[in-house]
mmCIF file of all heavy atoms in Angstrom:
data_model
loop_
_atom_site.group_PDB
_atom_site.id
_atom_site.type_symbol
_atom_site.label_atom_id
_atom_site.label_comp_id
_atom_site.label_asym_id
_atom_site.label_seq_id
_atom_site.Cartn_x
_atom_site.Cartn_y
_atom_site.Cartn_z
ATOM 1 N N GLY A 1 89.292 167.316 75.199
ATOM 2 C CA GLY A 1 89.779 166.114 74.516
ATOM 3 C C GLY A 1 88.647 165.310 73.914
ATOM 4 O O GLY A 1 88.753 164.822 72.780
ATOM 5 N N LEU A 2 87.539 165.166 74.634
ATOM 6 C CA LEU A 2 86.387 164.444 74.106
ATOM 7 C C LEU A 2 85.759 165.187 72.932
ATOM 8 O O LEU A 2 85.307 164.566 71.953
ATOM 9 C CB LEU A 2 85.341 164.259 75.210
ATOM 10 C CG LEU A 2 85.731 163.367 76.394
ATOM 11 C CD1 LEU A 2 84.579 163.280 77.388
ATOM 12 C CD2 LEU A 2 86.126 161.965 75.914
ATOM 13 N N HIS A 3 85.729 166.512 73.012
ATOM 14 C CA HIS A 3 85.122 167.309 71.947
ATOM 15 C C HIS A 3 85.864 167.129 70.633
ATOM 16 O O HIS A 3 85.247 167.083 69.557
ATOM 17 C CB HIS A 3 85.101 168.779 72.354
ATOM 18 C CG HIS A 3 84.573 169.691 71.281
ATOM 19 N ND1 HIS A 3 83.236 169.763 70.962
ATOM 20 C CD2 HIS A 3 85.226 170.563 70.444
ATOM 21 C CE1 HIS A 3 83.065 170.644 69.973
ATOM 22 N NE2 HIS A 3 84.258 171.136 69.649
ATOM 23 N N PHE A 4 87.190 167.052 70.699
ATOM 24 C CA PHE A 4 87.993 166.924 69.482
ATOM 25 C C PHE A 4 88.243 165.465 69.097
ATOM 26 O O PHE A 4 89.101 165.175 68.257
ATOM 27 C CB PHE A 4 89.317 167.659 69.657
ATOM 28 C CG PHE A 4 89.155 169.166 69.722
ATOM 29 C CD1 PHE A 4 89.311 169.852 70.912
ATOM 30 C CD2 PHE A 4 88.814 169.883 68.576
ATOM 31 C CE1 PHE A 4 89.165 171.235 70.969
ATOM 32 C CE2 PHE A 4 88.668 171.271 68.635
ATOM 33 C CZ PHE A 4 88.832 171.941 69.831
ATOM 34 N N ASP A 5 87.511 164.528 69.730
ATOM 35 C CA ASP A 5 87.598 163.094 69.389
ATOM 36 C C ASP A 5 89.013 162.547 69.485
ATOM 37 O O ASP A 5 89.443 161.734 68.660
ATOM 38 C CB ASP A 5 87.039 162.846 67.977
ATOM 39 C CG ASP A 5 85.556 163.169 67.886
ATOM 40 O OD1 ASP A 5 84.850 162.908 68.875
ATOM 41 O OD2 ASP A 5 85.116 163.687 66.836
ATOM 42 N N SER A 6 89.744 163.014 70.481
ATOM 43 C CA SER A 6 91.099 162.490 70.683
ATOM 44 C C SER A 6 91.025 161.073 71.231
ATOM 45 O O SER A 6 90.045 160.681 71.870
ATOM 46 C CB SER A 6 91.866 163.377 71.676
ATOM 47 O OG SER A 6 91.947 164.703 71.192
ATOM 48 N N PRO A 7 92.040 160.281 70.998
ATOM 49 C CA PRO A 7 92.065 158.923 71.559
ATOM 50 C C PRO A 7 91.944 158.983 73.080
ATOM 51 O O PRO A 7 92.470 159.893 73.729
ATOM 52 C CB PRO A 7 93.422 158.378 71.116
ATOM 53 C CG PRO A 7 93.753 159.171 69.880
ATOM 54 C CD PRO A 7 93.190 160.530 70.113
ATOM 55 N N TRP A 8 91.279 157.943 73.631
ATOM 56 C CA TRP A 8 91.032 157.926 75.070
ATOM 57 C C TRP A 8 92.324 158.028 75.879
ATOM 58 O O TRP A 8 92.394 158.730 76.883
ATOM 59 C CB TRP A 8 90.257 156.674 75.449
ATOM 60 C CG TRP A 8 89.972 156.581 76.915
ATOM 61 C CD1 TRP A 8 90.574 155.770 77.818
ATOM 62 C CD2 TRP A 8 89.027 157.355 77.650
ATOM 63 N NE1 TRP A 8 90.068 155.980 79.080
ATOM 64 C CE2 TRP A 8 89.110 156.961 79.003
ATOM 65 C CE3 TRP A 8 88.117 158.360 77.293
ATOM 66 C CZ2 TRP A 8 88.321 157.519 79.995
ATOM 67 C CZ3 TRP A 8 87.331 158.915 78.284
ATOM 68 C CH2 TRP A 8 87.445 158.496 79.625
ATOM 69 N N ALA A 9 93.341 157.329 75.441
ATOM 70 C CA ALA A 9 94.614 157.342 76.166
ATOM 71 C C ALA A 9 95.204 158.750 76.192
ATOM 72 O O ALA A 9 95.750 159.203 77.202
ATOM 73 C CB ALA A 9 95.603 156.363 75.531
ATOM 74 N N ASP A 10 95.070 159.474 75.052
ATOM 75 C CA ASP A 10 95.595 160.843 75.000
ATOM 76 C C ASP A 10 94.789 161.774 75.901
ATOM 77 O O ASP A 10 95.341 162.664 76.562
ATOM 78 C CB ASP A 10 95.554 161.363 73.561
ATOM 79 C CG ASP A 10 96.557 160.652 72.659
ATOM 80 O OD1 ASP A 10 97.446 159.965 73.201
ATOM 81 O OD2 ASP A 10 96.430 160.779 71.426
ATOM 82 N N VAL A 11 93.452 161.572 75.929
ATOM 83 C CA VAL A 11 92.598 162.400 76.786
ATOM 84 C C VAL A 11 92.995 162.237 78.247
ATOM 85 O O VAL A 11 93.140 163.204 78.999
ATOM 86 C CB VAL A 11 91.113 162.037 76.583
ATOM 87 C CG1 VAL A 11 90.251 162.757 77.619
ATOM 88 C CG2 VAL A 11 90.656 162.404 75.182
ATOM 89 N N VAL A 12 93.176 160.983 78.661
ATOM 90 C CA VAL A 12 93.551 160.709 80.050
ATOM 91 C C VAL A 12 94.917 161.304 80.358
ATOM 92 O O VAL A 12 95.131 161.911 81.419
ATOM 93 C CB VAL A 12 93.537 159.195 80.316
ATOM 94 C CG1 VAL A 12 94.099 158.889 81.699
ATOM 95 C CG2 VAL A 12 92.127 158.641 80.185
ATOM 96 N N GLN A 13 95.844 161.161 79.435
ATOM 97 C CA GLN A 13 97.203 161.657 79.666
ATOM 98 C C GLN A 13 97.222 163.182 79.785
ATOM 99 O O GLN A 13 97.861 163.745 80.687
ATOM 100 C CB GLN A 13 98.117 161.205 78.523
ATOM 101 C CG GLN A 13 99.581 161.605 78.728
ATOM 102 C CD GLN A 13 100.473 161.120 77.600
ATOM 103 O OE1 GLN A 13 99.996 160.555 76.618
ATOM 104 N NE2 GLN A 13 101.772 161.319 77.736
ATOM 105 N N VAL A 14 96.507 163.846 78.867
ATOM 106 C CA VAL A 14 96.475 165.313 78.911
ATOM 107 C C VAL A 14 95.774 165.797 80.186
ATOM 108 O O VAL A 14 96.230 166.731 80.853
ATOM 109 C CB VAL A 14 95.768 165.866 77.657
ATOM 110 C CG1 VAL A 14 95.498 167.364 77.818
ATOM 111 C CG2 VAL A 14 96.611 165.622 76.420
ATOM 112 N N THR A 15 94.660 165.122 80.513
ATOM 113 C CA THR A 15 93.927 165.525 81.727
ATOM 114 C C THR A 15 94.793 165.371 82.958
ATOM 115 O O THR A 15 94.824 166.241 83.835
ATOM 116 C CB THR A 15 92.652 164.676 81.878
ATOM 117 O OG1 THR A 15 91.833 164.838 80.718
ATOM 118 C CG2 THR A 15 91.870 165.097 83.119
ATOM 119 N N TRP A 16 95.510 164.233 83.046
ATOM 120 C CA TRP A 16 96.390 164.019 84.198
ATOM 121 C C TRP A 16 97.525 165.037 84.237
ATOM 122 O O TRP A 16 97.909 165.526 85.313
ATOM 123 C CB TRP A 16 96.946 162.604 84.177
ATOM 124 C CG TRP A 16 97.878 162.335 85.330
ATOM 125 C CD1 TRP A 16 99.240 162.229 85.298
ATOM 126 C CD2 TRP A 16 97.504 162.185 86.699
ATOM 127 N NE1 TRP A 16 99.744 162.020 86.548
ATOM 128 C CE2 TRP A 16 98.701 161.981 87.438
ATOM 129 C CE3 TRP A 16 96.285 162.189 87.368
ATOM 130 C CZ2 TRP A 16 98.700 161.793 88.806
ATOM 131 C CZ3 TRP A 16 96.282 162.000 88.741
ATOM 132 C CH2 TRP A 16 97.482 161.802 89.444
ATOM 133 N N GLY A 17 98.048 165.388 83.054
ATOM 134 C CA GLY A 17 99.122 166.383 83.006
ATOM 135 C C GLY A 17 98.645 167.746 83.474
ATOM 136 O O GLY A 17 99.338 168.435 84.236
ATOM 137 N N VAL A 18 97.443 168.120 83.028
ATOM 138 C CA VAL A 18 96.886 169.400 83.462
ATOM 139 C C VAL A 18 96.612 169.376 84.962
ATOM 140 O O VAL A 18 96.912 170.335 85.684
ATOM 141 C CB VAL A 18 95.587 169.716 82.679
ATOM 142 C CG1 VAL A 18 94.878 170.924 83.285
ATOM 143 C CG2 VAL A 18 95.899 169.969 81.217
ATOM 144 N N PHE A 19 96.063 168.249 85.450
ATOM 145 C CA PHE A 19 95.765 168.139 86.879
ATOM 146 C C PHE A 19 97.036 168.234 87.720
ATOM 147 O O PHE A 19 97.064 168.907 88.756
ATOM 148 C CB PHE A 19 95.054 166.811 87.159
ATOM 149 C CG PHE A 19 94.841 166.535 88.620
ATOM 150 C CD1 PHE A 19 93.814 167.159 89.320
ATOM 151 C CD2 PHE A 19 95.687 165.668 89.311
ATOM 152 C CE1 PHE A 19 93.625 166.911 90.666
ATOM 153 C CE2 PHE A 19 95.507 165.429 90.666
ATOM 154 C CZ PHE A 19 94.472 166.048 91.343
ATOM 155 N N SER A 20 98.095 167.546 87.276
ATOM 156 C CA SER A 20 99.350 167.545 88.030
ATOM 157 C C SER A 20 99.917 168.945 88.196
ATOM 158 O O SER A 20 100.557 169.256 89.209
ATOM 159 C CB SER A 20 100.386 166.642 87.329
ATOM 160 O OG SER A 20 99.908 165.324 87.222
ATOM 161 N N MET A 21 99.683 169.803 87.213
ATOM 162 C CA MET A 21 100.208 171.167 87.288
ATOM 163 C C MET A 21 99.213 172.117 87.977
ATOM 164 O O MET A 21 99.568 172.854 88.895
ATOM 165 C CB MET A 21 100.530 171.674 85.886
ATOM 166 C CG MET A 21 101.068 173.102 85.858
ATOM 167 S SD MET A 21 101.523 173.637 84.194
ATOM 168 C CE MET A 21 99.927 173.551 83.383
ATOM 169 N N SER A 22 97.938 172.058 87.546
ATOM 170 C CA SER A 22 96.970 173.028 88.048
ATOM 171 C C SER A 22 96.588 172.770 89.503
ATOM 172 O O SER A 22 96.217 173.700 90.223
ATOM 173 C CB SER A 22 95.709 173.019 87.175
ATOM 174 O OG SER A 22 95.068 171.757 87.231
ATOM 175 N N PHE A 23 96.687 171.519 89.969
ATOM 176 C CA PHE A 23 96.379 171.225 91.371
ATOM 177 C C PHE A 23 97.293 172.017 92.293
ATOM 178 O O PHE A 23 96.842 172.648 93.252
ATOM 179 C CB PHE A 23 96.529 169.728 91.643
ATOM 180 C CG PHE A 23 96.367 169.362 93.096
ATOM 181 C CD1 PHE A 23 95.104 169.127 93.623
ATOM 182 C CD2 PHE A 23 97.472 169.262 93.945
ATOM 183 C CE1 PHE A 23 94.946 168.793 94.959
ATOM 184 C CE2 PHE A 23 97.323 168.933 95.280
ATOM 185 C CZ PHE A 23 96.057 168.703 95.784
ATOM 186 N N TRP A 24 98.587 171.984 91.997
ATOM 187 C CA TRP A 24 99.540 172.668 92.870
ATOM 188 C C TRP A 24 99.455 174.187 92.722
ATOM 189 O O TRP A 24 99.662 174.930 93.678
ATOM 190 C CB TRP A 24 100.954 172.191 92.590
ATOM 191 C CG TRP A 24 101.129 170.746 92.945
ATOM 192 C CD1 TRP A 24 101.252 169.686 92.101
ATOM 193 C CD2 TRP A 24 101.146 170.213 94.270
ATOM 194 N NE1 TRP A 24 101.347 168.516 92.802
ATOM 195 C CE2 TRP A 24 101.290 168.804 94.148
ATOM 196 C CE3 TRP A 24 101.049 170.764 95.547
ATOM 197 C CZ2 TRP A 24 101.350 167.966 95.247
ATOM 198 C CZ3 TRP A 24 101.108 169.928 96.648
ATOM 199 C CH2 TRP A 24 101.255 168.545 96.489
ATOM 200 N N ILE A 25 99.111 174.633 91.491
ATOM 201 C CA ILE A 25 98.903 176.080 91.309
ATOM 202 C C ILE A 25 97.699 176.546 92.118
ATOM 203 O O ILE A 25 97.734 177.569 92.807
ATOM 204 C CB ILE A 25 98.708 176.409 89.818
ATOM 205 C CG1 ILE A 25 100.004 176.149 89.051
ATOM 206 C CG2 ILE A 25 98.268 177.867 89.644
ATOM 207 C CD1 ILE A 25 99.883 176.350 87.556
ATOM 208 N N GLY A 26 96.597 175.772 92.051
ATOM 209 C CA GLY A 26 95.409 176.121 92.822
ATOM 210 C C GLY A 26 95.659 176.058 94.319
ATOM 211 O O GLY A 26 95.208 176.925 95.072
ATOM 212 N N LEU A 27 96.403 175.020 94.757
ATOM 213 C CA LEU A 27 96.697 174.886 96.180
ATOM 214 C C LEU A 27 97.575 176.034 96.660
ATOM 215 O O LEU A 27 97.320 176.640 97.718
ATOM 216 C CB LEU A 27 97.384 173.545 96.438
ATOM 217 C CG LEU A 27 97.690 173.215 97.900
ATOM 218 C CD1 LEU A 27 96.400 173.098 98.699
ATOM 219 C CD2 LEU A 27 98.497 171.914 98.004
ATOM 220 N N GLY A 28 98.600 176.352 95.872
ATOM 221 C CA GLY A 28 99.489 177.446 96.269
ATOM 222 C C GLY A 28 98.798 178.795 96.219
ATOM 223 O O GLY A 28 98.941 179.612 97.138
ATOM 224 N N GLY A 29 98.010 179.028 95.158
ATOM 225 C CA GLY A 29 97.297 180.301 95.058
ATOM 226 C C GLY A 29 96.255 180.463 96.141
ATOM 227 O O GLY A 29 96.133 181.531 96.751
ATOM 228 N N GLY A 30 95.511 179.387 96.407
ATOM 229 C CA GLY A 30 94.511 179.447 97.473
ATOM 230 C C GLY A 30 95.147 179.663 98.834
ATOM 231 O O GLY A 30 94.648 180.438 99.656
ATOM 232 N N GLY A 31 96.268 178.963 99.073
ATOM 233 C CA GLY A 31 96.961 179.137 100.349
ATOM 234 C C GLY A 31 97.481 180.545 100.538
ATOM 235 O O GLY A 31 97.407 181.110 101.639
ATOM 236 N N PHE A 32 97.998 181.130 99.440
ATOM 237 C CA PHE A 32 98.517 182.500 99.523
ATOM 238 C C PHE A 32 97.395 183.489 99.842
ATOM 239 O O PHE A 32 97.540 184.362 100.702
ATOM 240 C CB PHE A 32 99.195 182.873 98.202
ATOM 241 C CG PHE A 32 99.644 184.310 98.142
ATOM 242 C CD1 PHE A 32 100.786 184.727 98.812
ATOM 243 C CD2 PHE A 32 98.908 185.242 97.419
ATOM 244 C CE1 PHE A 32 101.183 186.060 98.770
ATOM 245 C CE2 PHE A 32 99.304 186.561 97.362
ATOM 246 C CZ PHE A 32 100.447 186.972 98.040
ATOM 247 N N ILE A 33 96.255 183.343 99.151
ATOM 248 C CA ILE A 33 95.120 184.244 99.390
ATOM 249 C C ILE A 33 94.594 184.069 100.814
ATOM 250 O O ILE A 33 94.205 185.034 101.475
ATOM 251 C CB ILE A 33 94.005 183.997 98.363
ATOM 252 C CG1 ILE A 33 94.507 184.311 96.953
ATOM 253 C CG2 ILE A 33 92.779 184.836 98.677
ATOM 254 C CD1 ILE A 33 94.942 185.736 96.747
ATOM 255 N N LEU A 34 94.577 182.819 101.307
ATOM 256 C CA LEU A 34 94.122 182.568 102.674
ATOM 257 C C LEU A 34 95.032 183.254 103.688
ATOM 258 O O LEU A 34 94.562 183.917 104.625
ATOM 259 C CB LEU A 34 94.073 181.066 102.947
ATOM 260 C CG LEU A 34 93.699 180.653 104.380
ATOM 261 C CD1 LEU A 34 92.302 181.136 104.728
ATOM 262 C CD2 LEU A 34 93.809 179.145 104.550
ATOM 263 N N LEU A 35 96.341 183.122 103.508
ATOM 264 C CA LEU A 35 97.278 183.767 104.426
ATOM 265 C C LEU A 35 97.146 185.288 104.365
ATOM 266 O O LEU A 35 97.242 185.968 105.390
ATOM 267 C CB LEU A 35 98.711 183.356 104.088
ATOM 268 C CG LEU A 35 99.080 181.900 104.388
ATOM 269 C CD1 LEU A 35 100.494 181.594 103.898
ATOM 270 C CD2 LEU A 35 98.958 181.602 105.882
ATOM 271 N N LEU A 36 96.901 185.814 103.164
ATOM 272 C CA LEU A 36 96.740 187.255 103.012
ATOM 273 C C LEU A 36 95.497 187.729 103.760
ATOM 274 O O LEU A 36 95.517 188.751 104.458
ATOM 275 C CB LEU A 36 96.620 187.602 101.522
ATOM 276 C CG LEU A 36 96.766 189.079 101.139
ATOM 277 C CD1 LEU A 36 98.146 189.604 101.494
ATOM 278 C CD2 LEU A 36 96.501 189.249 99.652
ATOM 279 N N GLY A 37 94.393 186.975 103.641
ATOM 280 C CA GLY A 37 93.169 187.341 104.344
ATOM 281 C C GLY A 37 93.323 187.262 105.851
ATOM 282 O O GLY A 37 92.856 188.141 106.589
ATOM 283 N N LEU A 38 93.987 186.208 106.333
ATOM 284 C CA LEU A 38 94.204 186.058 107.776
ATOM 285 C C LEU A 38 95.116 187.149 108.314
ATOM 286 O O LEU A 38 94.925 187.644 109.430
ATOM 287 C CB LEU A 38 94.788 184.678 108.073
ATOM 288 C CG LEU A 38 93.854 183.490 107.814
ATOM 289 C CD1 LEU A 38 94.612 182.179 108.042
ATOM 290 C CD2 LEU A 38 92.614 183.554 108.697
ATOM 291 N N GLN A 39 96.115 187.538 107.511
ATOM 292 C CA GLN A 39 97.017 188.610 107.949
ATOM 293 C C GLN A 39 96.257 189.932 108.080
ATOM 294 O O GLN A 39 96.488 190.703 109.016
ATOM 295 C CB GLN A 39 98.159 188.777 106.950
ATOM 296 C CG GLN A 39 99.173 189.852 107.372
ATOM 297 C CD GLN A 39 100.193 190.132 106.288
ATOM 298 O OE1 GLN A 39 99.915 189.972 105.111
ATOM 299 N NE2 GLN A 39 101.376 190.558 106.684
ATOM 300 N N THR A 40 95.323 190.178 107.154
ATOM 301 C CA THR A 40 94.516 191.396 107.220
ATOM 302 C C THR A 40 93.693 191.437 108.502
ATOM 303 O O THR A 40 93.607 192.468 109.175
ATOM 304 C CB THR A 40 93.592 191.477 106.001
ATOM 305 O OG1 THR A 40 94.378 191.477 104.804
ATOM 306 C CG2 THR A 40 92.746 192.741 106.051
ATOM 307 N N ARG A 41 93.077 190.299 108.858
ATOM 308 C CA ARG A 41 92.297 190.252 110.099
ATOM 309 C C ARG A 41 93.200 190.443 111.316
ATOM 310 O O ARG A 41 92.845 191.118 112.270
ATOM 311 C CB ARG A 41 91.553 188.919 110.217
ATOM 312 C CG ARG A 41 90.721 188.511 109.017
ATOM 313 C CD ARG A 41 89.727 189.544 108.592
ATOM 314 N NE ARG A 41 88.656 189.762 109.548
ATOM 315 C CZ ARG A 41 87.653 190.584 109.363
ATOM 316 N NH1 ARG A 41 87.595 191.317 108.261
ATOM 317 N NH2 ARG A 41 86.710 190.728 110.276
ATOM 318 N N TRP A 42 94.386 189.841 111.283
ATOM 319 C CA TRP A 42 95.322 189.971 112.408
ATOM 320 C C TRP A 42 95.779 191.414 112.576
ATOM 321 O O TRP A 42 95.875 191.924 113.696
ATOM 322 C CB TRP A 42 96.520 189.059 112.182
ATOM 323 C CG TRP A 42 97.534 189.149 113.284
ATOM 324 C CD1 TRP A 42 97.511 188.519 114.494
ATOM 325 C CD2 TRP A 42 98.738 189.939 113.279
ATOM 326 N NE1 TRP A 42 98.606 188.861 115.242
ATOM 327 C CE2 TRP A 42 99.378 189.731 114.532
ATOM 328 C CE3 TRP A 42 99.337 190.782 112.354
ATOM 329 C CZ2 TRP A 42 100.584 190.346 114.853
ATOM 330 C CZ3 TRP A 42 100.535 191.398 112.678
ATOM 331 C CH2 TRP A 42 101.136 191.174 113.925
ATOM 332 N N GLN A 43 96.060 192.094 111.461
ATOM 333 C CA GLN A 43 96.470 193.491 111.535
ATOM 334 C C GLN A 43 95.355 194.353 112.105
ATOM 335 O O GLN A 43 95.610 195.290 112.865
ATOM 336 C CB GLN A 43 96.870 193.992 110.142
ATOM 337 C CG GLN A 43 98.188 193.423 109.643
ATOM 338 C CD GLN A 43 98.517 193.886 108.240
ATOM 339 O OE1 GLN A 43 97.641 194.309 107.490
ATOM 340 N NE2 GLN A 43 99.781 193.795 107.865
ATOM 341 N N MET A 44 94.112 194.025 111.760
ATOM 342 C CA MET A 44 92.984 194.766 112.301
ATOM 343 C C MET A 44 92.926 194.602 113.814
ATOM 344 O O MET A 44 92.707 195.559 114.548
ATOM 345 C CB MET A 44 91.690 194.272 111.665
ATOM 346 C CG MET A 44 90.444 195.000 112.152
ATOM 347 S SD MET A 44 88.920 194.269 111.546
ATOM 348 C CE MET A 44 88.906 192.730 112.500
ATOM 349 N N HIS A 45 93.137 193.377 114.308
ATOM 350 C CA HIS A 45 93.131 193.143 115.755
ATOM 351 C C HIS A 45 94.259 193.911 116.437
ATOM 352 O O HIS A 45 94.086 194.443 117.533
ATOM 353 C CB HIS A 45 93.266 191.654 116.049
ATOM 354 C CG HIS A 45 92.113 190.844 115.550
ATOM 355 N ND1 HIS A 45 92.165 189.478 115.398
ATOM 356 C CD2 HIS A 45 90.875 191.210 115.156
ATOM 357 C CE1 HIS A 45 91.003 189.046 114.944
ATOM 358 N NE2 HIS A 45 90.215 190.076 114.783
ATOM 359 N N SER A 46 95.423 193.969 115.791
ATOM 360 C CA SER A 46 96.562 194.680 116.374
ATOM 361 C C SER A 46 96.275 196.166 116.513
ATOM 362 O O SER A 46 96.636 196.794 117.510
ATOM 363 C CB SER A 46 97.813 194.467 115.509
ATOM 364 O OG SER A 46 98.147 193.100 115.436
ATOM 365 N N ARG A 47 95.585 196.739 115.513
ATOM 366 C CA ARG A 47 95.259 198.170 115.577
ATOM 367 C C ARG A 47 94.256 198.460 116.681
ATOM 368 O O ARG A 47 94.287 199.521 117.307
ATOM 369 C CB ARG A 47 94.716 198.652 114.227
ATOM 370 C CG ARG A 47 95.736 198.722 113.121
ATOM 371 C CD ARG A 47 95.228 199.576 111.969
ATOM 372 N NE ARG A 47 94.005 199.021 111.403
ATOM 373 C CZ ARG A 47 93.971 198.151 110.403
ATOM 374 N NH1 ARG A 47 95.113 197.733 109.862
ATOM 375 N NH2 ARG A 47 92.812 197.700 109.931
ATOM 376 N N LEU A 48 93.361 197.498 116.929
ATOM 377 C CA LEU A 48 92.319 197.721 117.930
ATOM 378 C C LEU A 48 92.880 197.904 119.332
ATOM 379 O O LEU A 48 92.253 198.539 120.178
ATOM 380 C CB LEU A 48 91.331 196.552 117.928
ATOM 381 C CG LEU A 48 90.310 196.527 116.784
ATOM 382 C CD1 LEU A 48 89.458 195.276 116.858
ATOM 383 C CD2 LEU A 48 89.431 197.765 116.838
#
């Protein structure tokens, strides 16, 4: 937004809109990968 000289209000609005969506995507994706990694370790313990 700053690079294209957009109005400050538009920059803030777009940034907040992206944050509102990408925050939950990152949280959900990170949580899924974490659970997948923990499940792999748990399965390894079960085989042992």
Side-chain angles (χ1 to χ4, degrees):
L2 294 181
H3 176 74
F4 291 107
D5 296 324
S6 301
W8 180 255
D10 291 346
V11 172
V12 173
Q13 184 179 5
V14 169
T15 302
W16 179 254
V18 170
F19 174 78
S20 301
M21 179 177 63
S22 63
F23 174 86
W24 295 107
I25 293 176
L27 183 63
F32 174 77
I33 297 299
L34 176 62
L35 290 175
L36 194 63
L38 293 175
Q39 182 188 28
T40 301
R41 309 306 293 182
W42 179 82
Q43 288 177 339
M44 181 187 71
H45 296 163
S46 299
R47 289 197 300 269
L48 283 176

